[in-house]
Amino acid sequence: MADVAALAGVSAQTVSRVANGLTNVDPSTKDRVVAAMNEIGYRPNSAARALKTGRFKSIGVIMFTLSTFGNMRTLDAIATAAAQAGYSITLIPIALPTQVELLGAFSRLGEHAVDGAIVIVESHILDRSDVSLPTGLPVVIVDSDAGDTYSVVDTDQAAGARDATRHLLELGHRTVWHVSGPEGSFSASRRRDSWEATLVAAGAEVPEVLIGDWTANSGYLHGLELAKRDDVTAVFAANDQMALGLMRAFHENDIAVPDHISVVGFDDMQEASSFWPPLTTVHQDFSAVGRLCLEKLLDQIDGSGTSRGVAVIPTTLIERQSTAAPASAI
Amino acid sequence: MADVAALAGVSAQTVSRVANGLTNVDPSTKDRVVAAMNEIGYRPNSAARALKTGRFKSIGVIMFTLSTFGNMRTLDAIATAAAQAGYSITLIPIALPTQVELLGAFSRLGEHAVDGAIVIVESHILDRSDVSLPTGLPVVIVDSDAGDTYSVVDTDQAAGARDATRHLLELGHRTVWHVSGPEGSFSASRRRDSWEATLVAAGAEVPEVLIGDWTANSGYLHGLELAKRDDVTAVFAANDQMALGLMRAFHENDIAVPDHISVVGFDDMQEASSFWPPLTTVHQDFSAVGRLCLEKLLDQIDGSGTSRGVAVIPTTLIERQSTAAPASAI
DNA sequence: GTGCTAATTGTTTGCGTAAACATGCTAGCG
DNA sequence: CGCTAGCATGTTTACGCAAACAATTAGCAC
């Protein structure tokens, strides 16, 4: 910076003013400074700037795992929105969704330079009152029940599961089986509860819940069991991967989808429309989630936003060809 | 830091020594300082540290898109390895794989605090001699031909495509069709070239290449065309999504896979084993790519590594149930 | 011309840390 | 007993920048 100032024949402070785009600089001076900057190849040093201002223009994203479709899409949207706002993303992966790991991640975030954080952990641990995040740092949490303590962006899991279940009931199925996500997952329990409530509200029998782990293989294993029964006509899987596994099990046992069993998924991953048969599923708007997270976080950072409350992103049922009226109703 | 020093009754410099784990500190003094740190909740300020040392303990990852399976897995591996090494990841998404965007990303990286960068752009632009990255920053590039200019980590695309093609030929297919990735993609052209070379080496006829865009839908559209022909018995798709689309088209036209047409994919995405039928595909070790990228980059950063050369990660053909001998050979 | 305001630019200062240098203290040796 | 080597600790300084304040100039009304 000093070199630029010397070359342009001004003080370092004036260079700083130009670099930060302040208005009260004479145009001709500004031109000289800009020319000098280009000649020297000056880049402001973010460490020094951060040290002086206390702002880092960077936000941390704490994620349990990158390997799920939804988390990835959310991250993509956050990163894109952040780039537009001039913020960079610092990614902190955690190996396990435990409190210890999460606090460790926050600690690392404290050492790295971050103005705020987005937590995508897909677990109940944040909802428990004995777990609390370090205060003072603006935080937005994705898909959690902790809206009374933190700012939360949540997909309307309940409505999605209700729509999926109701869709199957309206086709004439007497009841709907459910392959759930793992215990401890917030999204999984939301979908499971809503499925059950919808069945009860419709006066339908509630079958035993099948607990999966989000993978296609767990869906496949449950599908093999379901294939042995003759009273199953409709299954709602808590995500598309497990729905895919279910359908594989049904194919292997020559059970036609949707003619003998209807299947509905959740997520609407890109490939869902190319499954065989194309999967009826609940679309989640991960991009909207990511964008809204960033928006709420930036509002907190500049002081204009609240630090608690829940924003809900709606879901949409996408009807494709994996659902039909039950054979008995034909 | 000053507060900690006062509480522990030592100088700030001693606190710094403890924080950095230097050895020449009396154990009892060290204990006092550590106790004081915990009491106050001291966290070293990374901006100040970076300002003083010139090291940021952070590396930048420039990606074209997060939404492909492979990039996401690679990023996951990089992030995990980086966390273990005490580095954080700064994610810079670029909207389009053009030189302008890439240079813009590098410029942003220059402003943000980064010790090195990993570029995952999936495009030929880095191979052209007229494109050069700003020098001075350690860089590792994934899947590129620029090994004579930069340090590159590359998956052995050629071997994978050769194995896939040869596998089909060895089953007795007279030739193998190919649904390629888009023009301009480095991986796509590698796989396409190797497929063609393998056919030529085997004396097989080389059918017209079908150009897709990595999406399942593009595979589906090409599949509809292939379904109209009666001379197609084997197809090699350049990724699993397009293979999925192909199989959907074949299912819709009552063409049995693998009885009438064999299909091979590329990537071995998690769901590939649950496709119907389970997909024979080429496994890529994205985790190894990510880990190796980080390793090479850190070597460059601490000065012990070279800044050019190519490291190749092998691929493995995974035989599942989408391939079989052609009907004519039965 | 005097007194004022507004616009532009310069000067001083300190953010939190670690390197370089300085000090003080203990132990060991002849 | 005095001297030095070696270790623990303290003091000074500078990293690059921007906030706060100071200074200079121009423009304007009286």
Side-chain angles (χ1 to χ4, degrees), chain A residues 10-11 13-14 17 24-26 29 51-52:
Chain A
V10 298
S11 72
Q13 182 57 34
T14 302
R17 279 192 266 260
N24 50 341
V25 178
D26 188 87
T29 309
L51 178 60
K52 196 73 181 83

Short mmCIF file of all heavy atoms in Angstrom, two decimals, chain A residues 10-11 13-14 17 24-26 29 51-52, chain C residues 7-17:
data_model
loop_
_atom_site.label_atom_id
_atom_site.label_comp_id
_atom_site.label_asym_id
_atom_site.label_seq_id
_atom_site.Cartn_x
_atom_site.Cartn_y
_atom_site.Cartn_z
N VAL A 10 0.48 10.26 -3.15
CA VAL A 10 -0.54 10.61 -2.15
C VAL A 10 -0.20 9.88 -0.85
O VAL A 10 0.77 9.14 -0.78
CB VAL A 10 -1.94 10.20 -2.61
CG1 VAL A 10 -2.33 10.94 -3.88
CG2 VAL A 10 -2.03 8.69 -2.81
N SER A 11 -1.03 10.07 0.15
CA SER A 11 -0.79 9.36 1.40
C SER A 11 -1.45 7.98 1.38
O SER A 11 -2.34 7.71 0.57
CB SER A 11 -1.38 10.16 2.56
OG SER A 11 -2.78 10.07 2.52
N GLN A 13 -3.43 6.81 3.42
CA GLN A 13 -4.84 6.93 3.76
C GLN A 13 -5.70 7.14 2.53
O GLN A 13 -6.80 6.59 2.41
CB GLN A 13 -5.05 8.07 4.75
CG GLN A 13 -6.47 8.25 5.20
CD GLN A 13 -7.03 6.99 5.82
OE1 GLN A 13 -6.31 6.24 6.46
NE2 GLN A 13 -8.30 6.73 5.59
N THR A 14 -5.21 7.93 1.62
CA THR A 14 -5.98 8.17 0.39
C THR A 14 -6.10 6.89 -0.43
O THR A 14 -7.14 6.60 -1.00
CB THR A 14 -5.30 9.27 -0.44
OG1 THR A 14 -5.21 10.43 0.36
CG2 THR A 14 -6.09 9.56 -1.69
N ARG A 17 -8.78 4.98 1.07
CA ARG A 17 -10.09 5.51 0.71
C ARG A 17 -10.51 5.03 -0.68
O ARG A 17 -11.65 4.65 -0.91
CB ARG A 17 -10.07 7.03 0.77
CG ARG A 17 -10.24 7.56 2.18
CD ARG A 17 -10.52 9.06 2.19
NE ARG A 17 -9.29 9.83 2.36
CZ ARG A 17 -8.90 10.36 3.53
NH1 ARG A 17 -9.62 10.20 4.60
NH2 ARG A 17 -7.79 11.05 3.60
N ASN A 24 -15.50 10.74 -1.06
CA ASN A 24 -14.87 12.05 -0.98
C ASN A 24 -13.40 12.03 -1.41
O ASN A 24 -12.52 12.38 -0.65
CB ASN A 24 -15.00 12.59 0.44
CG ASN A 24 -14.53 11.56 1.46
OD1 ASN A 24 -14.46 10.39 1.16
ND2 ASN A 24 -14.19 12.02 2.64
N VAL A 25 -13.22 11.58 -2.63
CA VAL A 25 -11.88 11.61 -3.19
C VAL A 25 -11.98 12.29 -4.56
O VAL A 25 -12.86 11.98 -5.34
CB VAL A 25 -11.30 10.20 -3.37
CG1 VAL A 25 -9.92 10.26 -4.01
CG2 VAL A 25 -11.25 9.48 -2.03
N ASP A 26 -11.08 13.18 -4.79
CA ASP A 26 -11.10 13.90 -6.05
C ASP A 26 -10.89 12.92 -7.21
O ASP A 26 -9.99 12.08 -7.15
CB ASP A 26 -9.97 14.94 -6.05
CG ASP A 26 -10.07 15.84 -7.26
OD1 ASP A 26 -10.79 16.85 -7.16
OD2 ASP A 26 -9.44 15.52 -8.28
N THR A 29 -7.38 12.46 -8.54
CA THR A 29 -6.54 11.74 -7.57
C THR A 29 -6.85 10.25 -7.62
O THR A 29 -5.97 9.40 -7.65
CB THR A 29 -6.82 12.26 -6.15
OG1 THR A 29 -6.73 13.67 -6.14
CG2 THR A 29 -5.85 11.66 -5.17
N LEU A 51 -8.24 -7.28 10.89
CA LEU A 51 -7.71 -6.91 12.20
C LEU A 51 -8.19 -5.53 12.60
O LEU A 51 -8.54 -5.27 13.75
CB LEU A 51 -6.18 -6.94 12.14
CG LEU A 51 -5.45 -6.54 13.41
CD1 LEU A 51 -5.82 -7.47 14.55
CD2 LEU A 51 -3.95 -6.57 13.18
N LYS A 52 -8.21 -4.65 11.63
CA LYS A 52 -8.61 -3.27 11.92
C LYS A 52 -10.11 -3.13 12.10
O LYS A 52 -10.57 -2.44 13.00
CB LYS A 52 -8.15 -2.39 10.76
CG LYS A 52 -8.16 -0.91 11.08
CD LYS A 52 -7.03 -0.57 12.02
CE LYS A 52 -7.02 0.91 12.38
NZ LYS A 52 -7.93 1.22 13.47
P DA C 7 -19.46 19.12 0.85
OP1 DA C 7 -20.49 18.88 -0.17
OP2 DA C 7 -19.48 18.37 2.12
"O5'" DA C 7 -18.04 18.90 0.16
"C5'" DA C 7 -17.63 19.80 -0.87
"C4'" DA C 7 -16.15 19.65 -1.08
"O4'" DA C 7 -15.45 20.22 0.05
"C3'" DA C 7 -15.68 18.19 -1.19
"O3'" DA C 7 -14.98 18.02 -2.40
"C2'" DA C 7 -14.80 17.98 0.04
"C1'" DA C 7 -14.34 19.39 0.35
N9 DA C 7 -13.99 19.63 1.76
C8 DA C 7 -14.77 19.40 2.85
N7 DA C 7 -14.20 19.73 3.99
C5 DA C 7 -12.95 20.20 3.61
C6 DA C 7 -11.86 20.70 4.35
N6 DA C 7 -11.85 20.81 5.66
N1 DA C 7 -10.77 21.09 3.65
C2 DA C 7 -10.77 20.97 2.31
N3 DA C 7 -11.75 20.52 1.52
C4 DA C 7 -12.81 20.15 2.23
P DT C 8 -14.62 16.54 -2.93
OP1 DT C 8 -14.60 16.59 -4.40
OP2 DT C 8 -15.46 15.57 -2.20
"O5'" DT C 8 -13.12 16.35 -2.42
"C5'" DT C 8 -12.11 17.16 -3.00
"C4'" DT C 8 -10.89 17.16 -2.12
"O4'" DT C 8 -11.23 17.48 -0.76
"C3'" DT C 8 -10.12 15.85 -2.02
"O3'" DT C 8 -8.98 15.96 -2.86
"C2'" DT C 8 -9.76 15.71 -0.54
"C1'" DT C 8 -10.15 17.07 0.03
N1 DT C 8 -10.56 17.09 1.46
C2 DT C 8 -9.69 17.60 2.40
O2 DT C 8 -8.59 18.04 2.11
N3 DT C 8 -10.17 17.61 3.68
C4 DT C 8 -11.41 17.15 4.11
O4 DT C 8 -11.72 17.21 5.29
C5 DT C 8 -12.27 16.63 3.08
C7 DT C 8 -13.63 16.12 3.42
C6 DT C 8 -11.81 16.62 1.81
P DT C 9 -8.06 14.65 -3.10
OP1 DT C 9 -7.25 14.93 -4.31
OP2 DT C 9 -8.89 13.46 -3.00
"O5'" DT C 9 -7.09 14.70 -1.85
"C5'" DT C 9 -6.08 15.71 -1.77
"C4'" DT C 9 -5.45 15.69 -0.41
"O4'" DT C 9 -6.45 15.81 0.62
"C3'" DT C 9 -4.69 14.40 -0.07
"O3'" DT C 9 -3.30 14.69 -0.07
"C2'" DT C 9 -5.20 13.98 1.31
"C1'" DT C 9 -5.93 15.23 1.78
N1 DT C 9 -7.07 14.96 2.72
C2 DT C 9 -6.95 15.41 4.01
O2 DT C 9 -5.98 16.01 4.43
N3 DT C 9 -8.03 15.12 4.80
C4 DT C 9 -9.18 14.44 4.44
O4 DT C 9 -10.08 14.24 5.23
C5 DT C 9 -9.23 14.00 3.06
C7 DT C 9 -10.43 13.27 2.55
C6 DT C 9 -8.17 14.29 2.27
P DG C 10 -2.25 13.54 0.32
OP1 DG C 10 -1.02 13.81 -0.44
OP2 DG C 10 -2.91 12.21 0.24
"O5'" DG C 10 -1.98 13.89 1.85
"C5'" DG C 10 -1.52 15.20 2.19
"C4'" DG C 10 -1.28 15.30 3.69
"O4'" DG C 10 -2.54 15.18 4.38
"C3'" DG C 10 -0.36 14.23 4.27
"O3'" DG C 10 0.57 14.82 5.17
"C2'" DG C 10 -1.32 13.29 5.00
"C1'" DG C 10 -2.45 14.23 5.41
N9 DG C 10 -3.75 13.58 5.52
C8 DG C 10 -4.46 12.97 4.53
N7 DG C 10 -5.61 12.49 4.93
C5 DG C 10 -5.65 12.80 6.28
C6 DG C 10 -6.65 12.53 7.24
O6 DG C 10 -7.72 11.95 7.09
N1 DG C 10 -6.29 13.02 8.50
C2 DG C 10 -5.12 13.68 8.78
N2 DG C 10 -4.95 14.07 10.04
N3 DG C 10 -4.18 13.94 7.89
C4 DG C 10 -4.50 13.47 6.66
P DT C 11 1.65 13.91 5.87
OP1 DT C 11 2.86 14.74 6.04
OP2 DT C 11 1.72 12.62 5.18
"O5'" DT C 11 1.01 13.69 7.30
"C5'" DT C 11 0.71 14.82 8.12
"C4'" DT C 11 0.37 14.37 9.53
"O4'" DT C 11 -0.96 13.79 9.55
"C3'" DT C 11 1.30 13.31 10.13
"O3'" DT C 11 1.62 13.70 11.45
"C2'" DT C 11 0.48 12.02 10.06
"C1'" DT C 11 -0.95 12.54 10.20
N1 DT C 11 -2.01 11.70 9.55
C2 DT C 11 -3.11 11.32 10.27
O2 DT C 11 -3.27 11.62 11.43
N3 DT C 11 -4.03 10.59 9.56
C4 DT C 11 -3.94 10.19 8.24
O4 DT C 11 -4.83 9.53 7.72
C5 DT C 11 -2.76 10.61 7.54
C7 DT C 11 -2.56 10.24 6.11
C6 DT C 11 -1.84 11.34 8.22
P DT C 12 2.65 12.83 12.30
OP1 DT C 12 3.43 13.77 13.14
OP2 DT C 12 3.34 11.85 11.42
"O5'" DT C 12 1.65 12.05 13.25
"C5'" DT C 12 0.66 12.80 13.95
"C4'" DT C 12 -0.30 11.85 14.67
"O4'" DT C 12 -1.16 11.20 13.71
"C3'" DT C 12 0.38 10.74 15.48
"O3'" DT C 12 -0.16 10.77 16.79
"C2'" DT C 12 0.02 9.47 14.71
"C1'" DT C 12 -1.32 9.85 14.09
N1 DT C 12 -1.71 9.11 12.86
C2 DT C 12 -2.96 8.54 12.80
O2 DT C 12 -3.76 8.60 13.71
N3 DT C 12 -3.25 7.90 11.61
C4 DT C 12 -2.41 7.78 10.52
O4 DT C 12 -2.78 7.20 9.51
C5 DT C 12 -1.11 8.39 10.65
C7 DT C 12 -0.14 8.32 9.53
C6 DT C 12 -0.82 9.02 11.80
P DT C 13 0.51 9.93 17.94
OP1 DT C 13 0.30 10.67 19.19
OP2 DT C 13 1.85 9.46 17.51
"O5'" DT C 13 -0.46 8.66 17.98
"C5'" DT C 13 -1.86 8.87 18.12
"C4'" DT C 13 -2.61 7.60 17.81
"O4'" DT C 13 -2.56 7.33 16.39
"C3'" DT C 13 -2.06 6.34 18.48
"O3'" DT C 13 -3.01 5.91 19.43
"C2'" DT C 13 -1.84 5.35 17.35
"C1'" DT C 13 -2.69 5.93 16.23
N1 DT C 13 -2.22 5.61 14.84
C2 DT C 13 -3.13 5.11 13.96
O2 DT C 13 -4.29 4.90 14.24
N3 DT C 13 -2.63 4.86 12.70
C4 DT C 13 -1.32 5.05 12.27
O4 DT C 13 -0.99 4.79 11.12
C5 DT C 13 -0.42 5.59 13.26
C7 DT C 13 0.99 5.83 12.90
C6 DT C 13 -0.91 5.84 14.49
P DG C 14 -2.56 4.94 20.63
OP1 DG C 14 -3.21 5.43 21.86
OP2 DG C 14 -1.10 4.76 20.58
"O5'" DG C 14 -3.26 3.56 20.23
"C5'" DG C 14 -4.64 3.55 19.90
"C4'" DG C 14 -4.96 2.28 19.14
"O4'" DG C 14 -4.40 2.38 17.80
"C3'" DG C 14 -4.35 1.00 19.74
"O3'" DG C 14 -5.33 -0.01 19.72
"C2'" DG C 14 -3.18 0.69 18.81
"C1'" DG C 14 -3.74 1.17 17.48
N9 DG C 14 -2.75 1.45 16.46
C8 DG C 14 -1.46 1.94 16.62
N7 DG C 14 -0.83 2.08 15.48
C5 DG C 14 -1.73 1.67 14.51
C6 DG C 14 -1.61 1.60 13.10
O6 DG C 14 -0.64 1.91 12.41
N1 DG C 14 -2.78 1.12 12.50
C2 DG C 14 -3.91 0.76 13.19
N2 DG C 14 -4.92 0.33 12.45
N3 DG C 14 -4.04 0.82 14.51
C4 DG C 14 -2.92 1.28 15.10
P DC C 15 -5.37 -1.13 20.79
OP1 DC C 15 -6.27 -0.74 21.88
OP2 DC C 15 -3.98 -1.51 21.07
"O5'" DC C 15 -6.05 -2.33 19.99
"C5'" DC C 15 -7.29 -2.16 19.31
"C4'" DC C 15 -7.31 -3.02 18.08
"O4'" DC C 15 -6.50 -2.40 17.07
"C3'" DC C 15 -6.67 -4.39 18.28
"O3'" DC C 15 -7.68 -5.32 18.67
"C2'" DC C 15 -6.12 -4.74 16.90
"C1'" DC C 15 -6.00 -3.38 16.19
N1 DC C 15 -4.64 -2.96 15.82
C2 DC C 15 -4.29 -2.80 14.47
O2 DC C 15 -5.14 -3.02 13.60
N3 DC C 15 -3.03 -2.40 14.15
C4 DC C 15 -2.14 -2.17 15.12
N4 DC C 15 -0.93 -1.77 14.76
C5 DC C 15 -2.47 -2.34 16.49
C6 DC C 15 -3.73 -2.74 16.79
P DG C 16 -7.57 -6.06 20.09
OP1 DG C 16 -8.88 -6.64 20.40
OP2 DG C 16 -6.90 -5.18 21.07
"O5'" DG C 16 -6.58 -7.24 19.72
"C5'" DG C 16 -7.00 -8.24 18.79
"C4'" DG C 16 -5.82 -9.10 18.44
"O4'" DG C 16 -4.81 -8.28 17.82
"C3'" DG C 16 -5.15 -9.77 19.65
"O3'" DG C 16 -5.02 -11.14 19.33
"C2'" DG C 16 -3.81 -9.05 19.78
"C1'" DG C 16 -3.54 -8.62 18.35
N9 DG C 16 -2.73 -7.41 18.21
C8 DG C 16 -2.74 -6.29 19.01
N7 DG C 16 -1.91 -5.37 18.61
C5 DG C 16 -1.32 -5.91 17.47
C6 DG C 16 -0.33 -5.36 16.60
O6 DG C 16 0.21 -4.26 16.66
N1 DG C 16 -0.02 -6.24 15.57
C2 DG C 16 -0.58 -7.48 15.41
N2 DG C 16 -0.16 -8.19 14.37
N3 DG C 16 -1.50 -8.01 16.22
C4 DG C 16 -1.81 -7.17 17.22
P DT C 17 -4.32 -12.20 20.26
OP1 DT C 17 -5.05 -13.46 20.15
OP2 DT C 17 -4.09 -11.59 21.57
"O5'" DT C 17 -2.93 -12.38 19.53
"C5'" DT C 17 -2.92 -12.90 18.20
"C4'" DT C 17 -1.61 -12.62 17.53
"O4'" DT C 17 -1.28 -11.23 17.67
"C3'" DT C 17 -0.41 -13.35 18.15
"O3'" DT C 17 -0.20 -14.53 17.38
"C2'" DT C 17 0.74 -12.36 18.04
"C1'" DT C 17 0.09 -11.10 17.45
N1 DT C 17 0.53 -9.83 18.08
C2 DT C 17 1.48 -9.07 17.45
O2 DT C 17 2.00 -9.39 16.40
N3 DT C 17 1.80 -7.90 18.10
C4 DT C 17 1.27 -7.43 19.28
O4 DT C 17 1.63 -6.36 19.76
C5 DT C 17 0.28 -8.29 19.88
C7 DT C 17 -0.37 -7.87 21.17
C6 DT C 17 -0.04 -9.43 19.25
#
